[in-house]
Amino acid sequence: MRQYEMFELNYEASAPVKSEVDVNLTATFKINGHETKVYGFYAGNRQYKIRFYPRNIGEYSYTVQGIIKDSGEIDCKPADVSSHGMVRAKGTHFQTDDQKWFYPFGTTVYALAHQKEELIDQTFESLKDAPFNKIRTCVFPKHYQYNHNDPQWFPFKKHQNKWAVNHPNWPFWNHLDQIVEHLGKLDIQCDLILLHPYDCWGFSNLSKEQVLTYFNYVMRRYAAYPNIWWSLANEYDLLKYTKDDWLSFANYVSQHDPYHHLLSNHQMVIAWDFDNQETTHICVQIKDVDFISRDIVRYKKPMMVDECCYEGNLPDEWGNLSAFEMVDRFWKVCLQGGYCTHGETFLDPNDIIWWAKGGKLKGHSISRIAFLKRIIDQLPGPLTFAGEDFDEQSFHELQKKMSTGKDAVSPFVQFLCSLSWLDAQKLINTNRQFIGRCKDDQVIVQYYSRHCTAQGTIKLPADKKYAIDVIDVWKKTRRHVIDNVSGDVTVALPGKEGMAIIATQEAIEG
């Protein structure tokens, strides 16, 4: 057994008489006075498995109880240099179990597990050369535009033409195991979507009790994988379940996952309540990413923009972003201290569209996202937003201050305060600055988005010295321009969109 890698115990016994999910099989692992209780699962063909995720180095003892009795001791060796453990929320960012910062650069392949093997293999080949370290994908098959094929296997067996959630279909789950494990070998987090509304087979109509039975099996089988995240649903608000149902789903997953993987929920219109204590991070579908920093401040949790539309050429508005627009949204999100997810939707004569089925990546945003990822990975810590965050409360406070007439203000501010918040917000949008900083201002990054300025001014601390580079996010270039500067520094720019300035604190001599 090795630290941060799933460990498995295997047993043979009689098959369950009734439910093949709620089997009486538990194991308790102990080390240094700390114990973890896990539930085993039936894997078919008289085979039972217990999976465990070890976080500590040293000698574990374990006791198996229920339909199988066993005990023993096993030595947990230090983690391999490539293993960093589960990803967890750390303030408004993410960190692995070995306390390394993790910066998610995601992509989406909803129905990956439900394609033919040749297509799945092609998807893995594409991912090997892509910058993505997180993928959103579904347990259930998906029935939607450009995605109408029946899967080879369904998750459950049928009884009297209804899904028997107490009787998993073993070929499907074995196949899903292989996909999760393959993603792990590629150092990719698997953001596993548990429910979704795009369905013609009846999975979106499971009762609350059936959902909890299904969740029971998923927790038993997948909680010990280090590269799993839980997404309760894709577009949860399109499903029939009540608010109380969703809260009970979140609570069930949290209570039945002994390792407490990352957990969130994705919306179509009605955002999930990110104050929910079981929810570890913000997950949103949003087109206008300019103000995501407000939710980071409000909820004090990491932000995943898991859907900001897709690069492609579909007739649908959500599926025809230009490559530059996709790259621009990534930069805006990252400079505000958040994290972004890519998707790709190019028409194909065989309906092999990455966002749905995988295959080959065709877009031009990929290498530019990889360029951004290299910049982020080289930073001394995660970025936080350093621009002005003018929200509705700040606006009304400014209006109140204006009403006193004590301070002289510009005509622009006078006009701004005469507007409603809705109109004022539209005006403020045009002046949004995207500035991120990290680790006591060791690095400050300013992104100009679609503004085509020939001069950019970056405000630096007066008591530190910086080196300045100019970045072209489309050409993927970084050019050093100035040394040993501080305070307000004006930098010459080429007067084109997609430019950024990065200031790095210079080492103090002596």
Side-chain angles (χ1 to χ4, degrees), residues 388-421 424-425 427-428:
E388 293 183 5
D389 226 340
F390 196 69
D391 58 13
E392 187 172 5
Q393 181 180 345
S394 302
F395 173 67
H396 292 311
E397 288 174 356
L398 181 61
Q399 282 183 318
K400 186 177 180 180
K401 185 177 179 181
M402 274 285 298
S403 67
T404 66
K406 291 181 180 180
D407 299 318
V409 295
S410 69
F412 172 77
V413 174
Q414 292 179 35
F415 174 70
L416 184 70
C417 289
S418 71
L419 302 175
S420 69
W421 166 242
Q425 193 176 18
L427 188 59
I428 294 166

Side-chain angles (χ1 to χ4, degrees), residues 103-107 131-134 330 334 340 369 372-373 376:
Y103 308 126
F105 279 74
T107 190
F132 308 119
N133 56 10
K134 173 181 171 291
F330 261 81
C334 289
C340 201
I369 293 170
L372 170 61
K373 186 176 186 296
I376 298 293

Side-chain angles (χ1 to χ4, degrees), residues 282-347:
I282 305 161
C283 167
V284 292
Q285 172 177 188
I286 188 170
K287 295 178 182 178
D288 181 2
V289 300
D290 287 11
F291 293 91
I292 59 111
S293 57
R294 293 175 181 171
D295 278 347
I296 298 174
V297 172
R298 176 185 173 187
Y299 295 110
K300 297 179 175 60
K301 292 180 179 180
M303 161 69 81
M304 280 300 319
V305 177
D306 268 323
E307 191 171 344
C308 63
C309 299
Y310 306 106
E311 179 189 358
N313 59 6
L314 299 189
D316 308 272
E317 180 188 359
W318 50 263
N320 55 29
L321 292 187
S322 70
F324 181 83
E325 182 64 26
M326 174 63 73
V327 173
D328 183 61
R329 294 183 187 190
F330 261 81
W331 272 84
K332 287 179 177 179
V333 169
C334 289
L335 267 288
Q336 293 176 82
Y339 302 94
C340 201
T341 298
H342 154 277
E344 191 179 280
T345 49
F346 288 97
L347 285 170

Side-chain angles (χ1 to χ4, degrees), residues 341-356:
T341 298
H342 154 277
E344 191 179 280
T345 49
F346 288 97
L347 285 170
D348 182 89
N350 298 311
D351 282 353
I352 307 300
I353 297 178
W354 178 266
W355 142 92

Side-chain angles (χ1 to χ4, degrees), residues 30-84:
K30 297 181 180 180
I31 188 170
N32 300 329
H34 175 76
E35 64 178 52
T36 302
K37 182 179 179 181
V38 300
Y39 287 82
F41 65 94
Y42 183 56
N45 195 31
R46 296 168 51 90
Q47 300 299 308
Y48 291 83
K49 297 177 183 288
I50 293 169
R51 289 173 172 173
F52 175 64
Y53 171 74
R55 293 184 67 175
N56 301 103
I57 300 167
E59 190 171 88
Y60 281 87
S61 64
Y62 64 89
T63 304
V64 179
Q65 296 178 315
I67 57 174
I68 295 162
K69 309 290 185 184
D70 191 22
S71 62
E73 295 178 343
I74 188 163
D75 184 48
C76 182
K77 300 183 183 301
D80 185 86
V81 292
S82 62
S83 297
H84 303 291

Side-chain angles (χ1 to χ4, degrees), residues 476-490:
K476 299 175 288 184
T477 59
R478 178 171 178 168
R479 180 171 56 89
H480 181 65
V481 293
I482 310 174
D483 283 309
N484 200 35
V485 292
S486 58
D488 292 358
V489 181
T490 298

